[in-house]
Amino acid sequence: MLLDLGDLQVRSWRKLDLDALLRHANNAKIAANLRDQFPHPYTRRDAIDYLDFVRDQRPERAFAVQHNQEAIGGLGFQIGVDIGKVSAEVGYWISEAHWGRGFATRALSAISEWAFTEYKLTRVFALVFAYNAPSVRVLEKAGFQCEGVLRRSAIKNGVILDQLMYAKVR
Ligand SMILES: CC(C)(COP(=O)(O)OP(=O)(O)OC[C@H]1O[C@@H](n2cnc3c(N)ncnc32)[C@H](O)[C@@H]1OP(=O)(O)O)[C@@H](O)C(=O)NCCC(=O)NCCS
């Protein structure tokens, strides 16, 4: 898969992304805002296992964000099942070295549009920790609407948190 956005691409993960993934993903500030399945420290073993896992997925549901020929972030979908199969959750991260350049917004906008068609969805949503202002901003810039607060719905690093439900529908 390849979405070419000029100086930015969203594409399939490759085995050769191992070193870049390790370099950019091993960051406590990134892990703190994602599910616990995104580890910290992010070890070489974690990176190898992740790349093996995503390459076997059918349909493909996790993608690299590439800039200057290097994987600098990731985006992934969890597609619902049964009556929820028209709905998918999206998650994303960008390397701290590249924050504030609009990369997450552009990548999220493009992959969401792609996902509606590719997975035959009517809804793409994201759950964001209520304090995560940069990610809230990304979602709003990418056209997602806030539908509400899921009060005390998550525990991260031992702290109970509110999450905001953001969604885009078609
Ligand atoms: C959230 C994240 C993906 C944003 O990536 P990015 O490429 O820097 O995002 P963008 O540059 O597209 O947009 C960031 C916006 O947040 C704004 N922002 C940054 N820090 C902010 C803060 N403390 N308060 C409010 N807005 C903030 C930026 O100014 C920018 O908005 P603008 O374009 O209006 O100026 C990145 O910080 C990240 O990977 N964080 C850790 C993982 C994470 O939170 N993932 C999302 C889970 S829901």
Side-chain angles (χ1 to χ4, degrees), residues 11-163:
R11 60 152 171 85
S12 304
W13 283 104
R14 302 169 185 155
K15 289 255 187 243
L16 285 172
D17 291 324
L18 180 65
D19 288 338
L21 175 58
L22 196 48
R23 191 161 54 248
H24 297 300
N26 187 28
N27 183 335
K29 293 185 210 164
I30 292 177
N33 288 292
L34 298 175
R35 301 270 159 91
D36 288 343
Q37 69 190 36
F38 189 100
H40 185 76
Y42 200 105
T43 65
R44 178 164 286 268
R45 184 74 253 166
D46 292 324
I48 292 168
D49 289 348
Y50 182 72
L51 293 176
D52 283 347
F53 170 71
V54 297
R55 286 186 65 85
D56 288 342
Q57 280 185 328
R58 293 293 176 275
E60 198 177 9
R61 296 186 295 278
F63 308 95
V65 178
Q66 173 180 283
H67 175 63
N68 283 344
Q69 304 303 320
E70 184 184 11
I72 57 141
L75 294 145
F77 292 92
Q78 268 191 328
I79 303 172
V81 295
D82 203 292
I83 59 167
K85 66 187 178 190
V86 291
S87 187
E89 179 177 5
V90 65
Y92 47 87
W93 63 274
I94 294 287
S95 163
E96 187 176 0
H98 298 276
W99 286 356
R101 299 168 67 178
F103 289 170
T105 305
R106 288 168 59 202
L108 177 64
S109 300
I111 194 93
S112 305
E113 292 311 311
W114 175 87
F116 275 114
T117 305
E118 183 71 16
Y119 305 134
K120 300 186 173 62
L121 301 174
T122 55
R123 173 183 175 88
V124 175
F125 69 94
L127 279 171
V128 53
F129 296 146
Y131 70 76
N132 189 350
S135 186
V136 164
R137 182 79 188 117
V138 165
L139 288 161
E140 288 181 344
K141 286 192 295 176
F144 286 68
Q145 287 179 21
C146 186
E147 297 181 336
V149 186
L150 281 67
R151 294 177 299 161
R152 296 174 63 75
S153 55
I155 182 163
K156 185 69 191 186
N157 296 331
V159 180
I160 299 289
L161 296 170
D162 292 349
Q163 296 180 97

